[in-house]
Amino acid sequence: MDRLRSNKLFEGLSDSHFEHLKSFIKIKNFDKDTALIEEGVHGETLYLLISGKVKVAKTSDNGRELVLAVRAAGDFFGEMSLLEDAPRSARIL
């Protein structure tokens, strides 16, 4: 939890608020090339990458994968679906 506490996402959060948030945090490991988020699906999860890398991708009109970004340890993703209450705008794998 120390690695999480020092993440920029929790900057400025009081210790008591972080303690409350800890009850909602689940740490999971994923195999390489596992899709964590599918484009167009309603999201209810915010992800914080502790280690490794993921790519943010969309499918083009001709069916090709377009890589929009690569996220690395310390980055978070999935927040837009939560903030906008909208389907996921990209695939994360």
Side-chain angles (χ1 to χ4, degrees):
M1 285 293 171
D2 290 340
R3 287 174 82 181
L4 292 177
R5 182 66 176 119
S6 63
N7 186 277
K8 62 186 172 198
L9 180 63
F10 303 116
E11 216 172 68
L13 196 64
S14 72
D15 289 339
S16 62
H17 282 108
F18 184 74
E19 286 299 315
H20 176 71
L21 268 182
K22 280 180 17 179
S23 65
F24 298 99
I25 295 172
K26 296 177 187 165
I27 297 176
K28 295 183 178 183
N29 293 307
F30 295 94
D31 293 330
K32 185 177 180 177
D33 297 323
T34 298
L36 305 178
I37 291 176
E38 291 291 348
E39 185 177 354
V41 174
H42 187 271
E44 296 179 351
T45 305
L46 170 76
Y47 293 85
L48 174 60
L49 194 57
I50 296 173
S51 65
K53 293 181 181 178
V54 295
K55 63 181 173 179
V56 180
K58 289 184 76 74
T59 304
S60 70
D61 292 338
N62 63 3
R64 296 185 68 199
E65 180 182 80
L66 301 172
V67 178
L68 305 174
V70 174
R71 300 284 183 238
D75 291 335
F76 57 90
F77 52 91
E79 76 283 1
M80 293 310 295
S81 183
L82 297 175
L83 295 172
E84 296 177 353
D85 192 29
R88 303 287 192 179
S89 60
R91 186 171 191 227
I92 308 289
L93 59 145

